[in-house]
Structures are given as C-alpha cells and as structure tokens.
Amino acid sequence: MGFDRNQYLRELETIVNIDSGSRNPAGTGKVAAFLEEKYRQQGFQTELVSVGPEVGPVLVATNAPDEPIDLLFIGHTDTVFLDGEASRRPFTIKGERLYGPGVYDMKGCSLLTAYLMENLPAELKRSLNICVIHNPDEEISSFYSREVIIEKAKMAKFAFVMEPSAADGSMIKERKGIEKLKIHFKGRPSHAGDAPEEGRSAINELAYWIVQLNTLIDHDAGVSVNAGTIQGGTVPNVVPEHAQMELDYRYSNPIDVTAFLDMLEDLQIHAAEKEIGIDIAVIGRRPPMVDVPGAKALRSVFEDVGKQMDTVISFKKSGGVSDANFTTSVGVPTVCSIGLIGGAFHTDHEYVELDSIFSRLELLTAVIAEMSRRKMFCTSADRLRVT
C-alpha cells in the first residue's frame, strides 16, 4: 500500500483550517472542491450538486457510470463550529493525537475516504462500481442533501458511512430515529389580575404539551422526549400571548413514531379547544437505522477480517443519528462509524488517534477485498439486467 502519511497530514491540515460550519456555504464548498480534485486525479467522474443557497454543494464522485452501485461511501464536509474557530485553534499534532475543529467529525474521515479510493488495488477498483458522497449539512440533519443521498442509496448494494469510530474503536450497527420540531404557541394577552379569564396562556398550553408528550418516554424501548429549549411571555402580570419550544423525539422502532404523530394531532385539537394557535416546523427528521437483510453478513466480514488482523471489531447501538439512517430506510445493508478513532467530537478538544489513520485504511481495504472474494458485489448479469 503506497500510503503517504505526511501528505495525508498536510492535506488534513489544509481542510481542518477552513471554517466550514453547516451554514457556511463558502467554507463547505472549499472543502468539497479540495476533495473533488483528489477524486479527479484518480480518474473519478465528479459533480458538485447544488442543494440550495443556504448550504454548500454535495460532492458526488463515481468511478463508473453504471448501475447498480456496489459500494456507496458517505461523509460530510460541514462541522458544528462557528466562523473563526479554525484560526482560534488550528490543526495541531501533539504527541500521538491530532487536534483541530472537525478533525475527528469528520474531516479526517472524509479525507481518509479519498485515500482509501486511491489505495484500493487497481484490479479491485476496476471490478467495482463505487460512488462517494460528501454532503454539506449532516450536522443539521442533512435537511438539504437527503434526497441526493436517498437517490444514490436506492441504487446501492452496500453503504459505508465514514463517520468516526468511538474512542474504543467500536462501530455502529443501529441508530435511533429522530423528529426535531420547533413549535410556536399563540394565545391571547390580557391583564393577569384584572381580566385573567379573558386571556389564553400560550405558556400554559406549552406546559400541557410537555407533560403529555413525556408520557411517551420509554427508555427500555428506546423512546425519549426532550423539550430542549423553551421561551415565552413578557412580564409576570400579562397572560402570555407567545411561547415556543424546540422538541427532540427519538425512537428505535419505526412503529413508535406513529404514537408520537398521533399525539401531536390530539394536542393540536386540545390547543384549538383552548383557542391557542399552533405552528409546527420540522427542523430535523431521520428514520431509525435498523438491521436490514444482509447487514449481519456485512458486519461478519468486518469481524472476520479483524480477527485476521488481530483487531477487535465490535458494533453497538447509538442514540445519535447519521446519514446511515437514510441508507437503511431504503433497505441498504450499512455499517456506520467505521472511520478514524478518536473522541470528544463537537468540543474544542476533539482529537484523532494518529495511528488509526493507517490501521483503518488497512482494515477497510482488506474488508472490501474480502467482500469481493465472497462474491458479495453485483455480477455482470446484475448490471445487464439494469441496463
């Protein structure tokens, strides 16, 4: 394997030192353009797909125009950090760890994907149809790019979501689904002392909703409800006309979202009876990442290759979400969080373990080779049927 670690580190420094928060189209665009050039140099066909002015482009790179796709790789170019963070704490190497905004989640992993494509054996790369997606808005629920992801996932045999691995090296096999809502309540103001009966309290209705929604909580079943922010009212002696909350509902079983949506309908009826206006905006939505047919066989390849390399491969469930939620929703066997090892993501001390760069590159190359040996990819007959 002709991996040049020093070149990788120089290029990682370049993209980590670019501010690329989800709402920074120029920054995510720069990172996408940098990665695009990496794929072009390898002979990939590339496209920067616009998904609206609010965010940067989606980079799509393919080594062949044919369908179906054998392997779909997904990563993202955005971070959670505000502009100025890259200059405040630029990329640094301290001992055996790398630091900087987004170095772990997930610029190091996105760059690793390009290096994985570069280091795949030529005969293996020629035999596979590969598609790579780098989207600009994963940290804000892939609200703009999800249709591009789903469209490509529908053509794919397998998906590798290159999110970072946990500090112990574990990967993800299941993730919760999420409904994230911003709910505005509009009541009727009045004097709280002289005419309280004339008022319609937006805050009282909000409080009623929280109490009712919390009855859905079932931690054993993987259901959680969290009113993460609330605002409302003006002064204590006025019945509040306005209130607002941001709600986070997470669930493991796809059927559990039905109970949540049914309750929302009932609560809106209650609000109407109390003469409270309701406006609900969806600010985040992902179905759960579930075990689909073929997923266990895919994980077994990782486990078997890990044993051959004397590396423990473990998979766990997560309450967090990623773009793997979309790929399994259309039935694609998926492994998630197979990228670099590190920790403390979304903080000012996130890090990557330096030695995980080559070890992950070596593992993923071996996994793809083993999948090919086991004839898990599309055959010539499959491609003829599609064309």
Side-chain angles (χ1 to χ4, degrees):
M1 184 180 296
F3 173 61
D4 186 336
R5 191 178 80 165
N6 290 332
Q7 178 181 325
Y8 173 91
L9 293 175
R10 287 193 299 270
E11 293 183 343
L12 182 57
E13 179 177 16
T14 297
I15 59 175
V16 167
N17 289 346
I18 297 171
D19 282 319
S20 61
S22 306
R23 300 291 184 180
N24 182 341
T28 53
K30 287 179 181 178
V31 177
F34 184 93
L35 293 170
E36 180 187 30
E37 183 58 28
K38 294 284 294 179
Y39 292 112
R40 278 183 176 174
Q41 290 174 3
Q42 299 175 42
F44 276 68
Q45 301 173 36
T46 64
E47 182 181 6
L48 292 173
V49 181
S50 174
V51 289
E54 297 88 351
V55 296
V58 179
L59 169 59
V60 179
T62 59
N63 72 334
D66 298 334
E67 301 172 10
I69 297 166
D70 292 298
L71 272 176
L72 173 64
F73 292 85
I74 302 176
H76 59 88
T77 55
D78 62 324
T79 74
V80 299
F81 300 105
L82 300 178
D83 290 353
E85 191 72 11
S87 60
R88 186 177 75 83
R89 52 180 189 93
F91 176 83
T92 56
I93 303 174
K94 298 178 182 178
E96 294 302 307
R97 288 182 172 178
L98 315 178
Y99 295 87
V103 68
Y104 174 58
D105 185 17
M106 65 171 293
K107 290 181 177 178
C109 303
S110 293
L111 185 61
L112 183 75
T113 308
Y115 273 77
L116 176 61
M117 298 301 101
E118 186 177 10
N119 285 277
L120 279 180
E123 66 276 10
L124 188 58
K125 196 185 300 188
R126 280 195 301 267
S127 68
L128 299 178
N129 285 0
I130 297 170
C131 178
V132 183
I133 294 175
H134 294 284
N135 63 319
D137 58 342
E138 191 275 341
E139 299 293 1
I140 53 172
S141 294
S142 301
F143 201 80
Y144 301 90
S145 65
R146 65 182 60 199
E147 292 306 319
V148 176
I149 294 169
I150 292 171
E151 176 188 357
K152 293 299 183 184
K154 287 178 179 178
M155 307 174 193
K157 190 83 180 284
F158 298 100
F160 284 8
V161 178
M162 297 292 290
E163 292 282 348
S165 302
D168 62 359
S170 58
M171 303 172 182
I172 301 298
K173 63 178 180 179
E174 293 180 29
R175 291 183 178 275
K176 288 185 178 182
I178 186 171
E179 293 282 325
K180 191 181 295 184
L181 309 177
K182 181 180 288 186
I183 307 174
H184 182 260
F185 301 78
K186 186 178 188 304
R188 182 192 305 157
S190 68
H191 194 286
D194 279 348
E197 72 283 355
E198 294 180 7
R200 300 293 182 267
S201 172
I203 289 179
N204 283 357
E205 186 64 15
L206 180 151
Y208 177 82
W209 280 47
I210 291 175
V211 171
Q212 295 303 307
L213 287 164
N214 279 351
T215 65
L216 296 175
I217 295 173
D218 185 343
H219 294 308
D220 291 338
V223 176
S224 63
V225 180
N226 183 54
T229 69
I230 58 172
Q231 298 90 32
T234 52
V235 293
N237 58 341
V238 174
V239 174
E241 180 181 11
H242 295 284
Q244 181 175 285
M245 70 173 169
E246 291 182 326
L247 188 75
D248 183 301
Y249 174 81
R250 302 199 183 213
Y251 59 102
S252 297
N253 191 322
I255 65 173
D256 287 327
V257 75
T258 302
F260 172 71
L261 296 176
D262 287 346
M263 180 170 283
L264 282 180
E265 288 188 9
D266 292 341
L267 288 170
Q268 289 177 82
I269 293 171
H270 180 272
E273 292 172 348
K274 295 294 183 179
E275 300 180 62
I276 304 290
I278 300 295
D279 181 68
I280 300 177
V282 177
I283 56 176
R285 173 173 286 162
R286 281 188 172 103
M289 176 191 179
V290 296
D291 234 1
V292 300
K296 290 181 180 178
L298 177 58
R299 293 197 298 270
S300 73
V301 178
F302 277 78
E303 293 163 347
D304 293 346
V305 170
K307 289 176 184 176
Q308 296 167 16
M309 301 176 68
D310 199 26
T311 300
V312 176
I313 302 296
S314 61
F315 293 90
K316 64 182 182 180
K317 300 178 182 180
S318 173
V321 296
S322 80
D323 290 326
N325 294 58
F326 297 128
T327 59
T328 64
S329 74
V330 293
V332 181
T334 303
V335 286
C336 187
S337 297
I338 60 178
L340 301 176
I341 297 171
F345 64 95
H346 295 191
T347 73
D348 63 2
H349 54 283
E350 72 172 302
Y351 66 91
V352 164
E353 298 288 358
L354 184 58
D355 63 4
S356 74
I357 300 168
F358 183 75
S359 64
R360 276 301 189 247
L361 190 62
E362 189 177 37
L363 172 70
L364 294 172
T365 300
V367 164
I368 296 168
E370 180 63 16
M371 291 173 69
S372 179
R373 191 189 70 78
R374 296 186 187 188
K375 302 186 186 305
M376 297 174 69
F377 296 120
C378 300
T379 65
S380 298
D382 293 329
R383 302 195 199 287
L384 287 172
R385 280 195 291 271
V386 171
T387 56

